[in-house]
Amino acid sequence: MELFDVMIKRRSVREYGDEDISDDDLDKIIKAGLLAPSSRNRKPCELVVVRNKKTLRQLSLSKKSGSAMLEKANAAIVVVADSVKANTWIEDSSIVLTYMDLMAANLGIGSCWCQTHLRYSGDDKLSEDVVRGLLSLDDNYRIVGILSLGVMVEELDSHEVPIISDSVVKFMD
Ligand SMILES: Cc1cc2nc3c(=O)[nH]c(=O)nc-3n(C[C@H](O)[C@H](O)[C@H](O)COP(=O)(O)O)c2cc1C
């Protein structure tokens, strides 16, 4: 698919079938994340791939809301960034998540960004602390989010091709 077509087709998919996504597809999604650019090429991000059902359920409880899809996901990729390596860990992690999300859409795999940074669990703990604890990570690791992945049960409507209007895009002289 052309990159523009992938962007038009990409949707946040939160319902998944029971089948496994293939190792080959998972590999491509991981490699897309590893291809993401980073400020000063510091590459602070590491990926933790979770396929274990118990851990997926625990991750789904890391937030009050907006993380339920992780329980039924076939895999989740937690993007963890060493904040000592780069103070741009938010930006760098966000690009990694976006690249992987786009590759998943390209492969027809359902995916959704689950925000961890600045969010809280049902018992009012910082979601980052909950996820860091689950993955036994040191405090210098910061977690912007998790990408949930699974076989799509229903294809969501594609986006409309955006209209370039002067309310959001200004062409300067
Ligand atoms: C920074 C960011 C955080 C997000 N966090 C969540 C989340 O925690 N849970 C969720 O279900 N979706 C989350 N999403 C997905 C958005 O809700 C979704 O992208 C938006 O509603 C537009 O829908 P679309 O992705 O299908 O175009 C997040 C997306 C972004 C970019």
Side-chain angles (χ1 to χ4, degrees):
M1 250 192 293
E2 288 264 345
L3 181 55
F4 194 69
D5 295 328
V6 178
M7 289 170 165
I8 295 283
K9 265 183 99 77
R10 187 216 55 80
R11 294 296 314 278
S12 293
V13 176
R14 301 177 178 88
E15 308 262 339
Y16 313 110
D18 293 331
E19 308 91 323
D20 285 343
I21 60 172
S22 72
D23 288 344
D24 198 37
D25 283 347
L26 187 59
D27 238 53
K28 285 195 180 113
I29 294 166
I30 292 168
K31 284 175 181 155
L34 298 178
L35 279 167
S38 62
S39 175
R40 296 177 178 170
N41 208 19
R42 292 258 168 101
K43 296 191 180 296
C45 298
E46 297 170 29
L47 306 178
V48 182
V49 182
V50 179
R51 296 197 93 166
N52 171 286
K53 290 282 166 215
K54 184 175 165 216
T55 314
L56 286 168
R57 173 162 167 75
Q58 287 170 320
L59 287 174
S60 79
L61 300 173
S62 62
K63 297 207 316 169
K64 272 191 216 337
S65 64
S67 51
M69 68 287 195
L70 285 165
E71 185 175 5
K72 293 278 151 56
N74 183 248
I77 305 180
V78 188
V79 177
V80 307
D82 184 345
S83 58
V84 174
K85 272 195 189 160
N87 61 3
T88 49
W89 56 272
I90 297 178
E91 294 82 354
D92 297 334
S93 302
S94 299
I95 301 169
V96 169
L97 282 158
T98 302
Y99 267 43
M100 295 196 299
D101 200 23
L102 283 170
M103 178 55 84
N106 182 51
L107 297 168
I109 304 282
S111 65
C112 187
W113 179 316
C114 174
Q115 180 74 12
T116 305
H117 181 224
L118 304 174
R119 298 291 181 260
Y120 288 86
S121 66
D123 50 359
D124 279 329
K125 292 185 182 130
L126 273 172
S127 300
E128 267 196 89
D129 288 343
V130 176
V131 175
R132 209 184 282 112
L134 279 172
L135 304 181
S136 308
L137 296 167
D138 292 338
D139 288 350
N140 51 308
Y141 280 95
R142 303 301 306 264
I143 306 158
V144 167
I146 304 169
L147 194 72
S148 68
L149 296 163
V151 167
M152 247 193 253
V153 277
E154 185 194 2
E155 199 164 321
L156 302 178
D157 291 343
S158 296
H159 288 281
E160 301 281 330
V161 176
I163 294 162
I164 300 180
S165 75
D166 55 12
S167 63
V168 281
V169 184
K170 310 256 187 284
F171 291 94
M172 301 296 289
D173 290 335

